[in-house]
Amino acid sequence: MEDFYSSTLKNLEKTFMPHLSEYQQFIDFETMRKMKQVAKDKRPVYFDLHIEEIVELKTRTIIDLYWDGILMSATIPSKKPFHTTIEILSKPPEKFIARLDWIEKRKAFLPSYLKEEFARRKGLEDTLCQFSMKLFTYLNTYIDYEERPLKKEGTADVPDKAVLPERFQDWDFTFLEKHPGLKKRWLDLVQRTARQYERIEELEIEEKFALETMVDKDVPSFIESFQKLSDENKELKKDDLLETIRHLRLFIEDLERKEEENHSYSFDKKRVFISSKYNKTD
């Protein structure tokens, strides 16, 4: 049924709006529709996201990723003279489609290069710009910002330990008080884990056990072991700490993705039921 609706929309577009369908040789209609849903906050950007590689340099971080089969590259600076850019290739990744730059005065992404087929329609350009903002906002929490300039001595945007939910008091990490960037990243993980824990009954039994073990045993034990290290070794083990945070975040992201898939499946079932009930033909 889903394929039927998609093919019908494609045929209508090609028939009545041929100038719109030209872009489909680079990005198919279904992917463009998902992009628009992300831009309008109707679909989470992480749902179709696969991080291919993260390269952390002194002045910038480069992230290569696939989003619904589209290869993209995001360059996010920590120092001048670089500025944030997102580059988008076609699906499959054969041709360069767009380069979007962050314009500080406009607080928005605008194209410095855009394939003609997309530039002809303002709506397509707007979708790419708005989608880039959603993607950048998500990636902003995904990479390490510890070496970036911090506003107001690095503490203004970092919550204190009072934000930890009651069940997560054992996740308090005193070492992070000296590292605001790491602390912000850690608290983001805590909050996402807490939100997922509130919905633990919706998980399968293996995932439920894994999440309970992570919250109540594995992470508190890891923190306790880390805190026993000497101050010098703690600093030397920062990379290991970052890697552990990444693994934990990927586990939570996997649970979030499965939850979204379950909601989508449930929605599709209800939609097909309504369609069969109220759209009968003689």
Side-chain angles (χ1 to χ4, degrees), residues 76 139-148 150 181 185:
I76 304 176
L139 294 178
N140 234 10
T141 66
Y142 198 94
I143 63 175
D144 180 30
Y145 290 92
E146 185 182 1
E147 295 184 2
R148 292 191 173 212
L150 296 168
R185 188 182 179 120

Side-chain angles (χ1 to χ4, degrees), residues 183-215:
K183 181 179 180 181
K184 184 176 180 181
R185 188 182 179 120
W186 179 258
L187 290 176
D188 175 71
L189 171 67
V190 174
Q191 290 161 1
R192 291 176 69 172
T193 304
R195 286 195 296 269
Q196 191 62 57
Y197 197 89
E198 292 175 356
R199 302 187 292 273
I200 193 171
E201 295 304 323
E202 300 179 24
L203 302 178
E204 296 179 1
I205 185 66
E206 295 86 356
E207 294 167 343
K208 185 184 298 187
F209 176 77
L211 183 58
E212 284 182 324
T213 304
M214 169 189 169
V215 171

Side-chain angles (χ1 to χ4, degrees), residues 251-265:
F251 171 65
I252 295 301
E253 287 176 357
D254 189 50
L255 296 183
E256 292 172 341
R257 189 176 295 109
K258 288 182 179 179
E259 184 179 11
E260 180 67 24
E261 288 172 352
N262 290 336
H263 289 323
S264 296
Y265 177 69

Side-chain angles (χ1 to χ4, degrees), residues 98-195:
R99 176 188 174 97
L100 299 116
D101 300 302
W102 171 255
I103 308 301
E104 183 64 30
K105 291 182 179 179
R106 301 279 294 276
K107 300 296 181 184
F109 280 92
L110 294 177
S112 55
Y113 169 81
L114 190 60
K115 202 116 180 88
E116 185 180 357
E117 288 79 359
F118 292 83
R120 288 174 189 160
R121 293 292 298 183
K122 188 72 166 86
L124 296 178
E125 178 181 329
D126 288 345
T127 296
L128 290 178
C129 293
Q130 293 164 15
F131 170 83
S132 296
M133 174 61 79
K134 300 296 180 183
L135 178 63
F136 168 68
T137 301
Y138 179 76
L139 294 178
N140 234 10
T141 66
Y142 198 94
I143 63 175
D144 180 30
Y145 290 92
E146 185 182 1
E147 295 184 2
R148 292 191 173 212
L150 296 168
K151 298 178 181 179
K152 296 183 180 180
E153 299 180 356
T155 58
D157 56 351
V158 180
D160 59 28
K161 64 183 179 181
V163 304
L164 293 180
E166 183 177 352
R167 190 179 190 93
F168 289 80
Q169 292 302 313
D170 288 340
W171 284 42
D172 184 26
F173 219 151
T174 55
F175 168 74
L176 302 181
E177 298 299 325
K178 299 178 182 178
H179 302 279
L182 270 175
K183 181 179 180 181
K184 184 176 180 181
R185 188 182 179 120
W186 179 258
L187 290 176
D188 175 71
L189 171 67
V190 174
Q191 290 161 1
R192 291 176 69 172
T193 304
R195 286 195 296 269

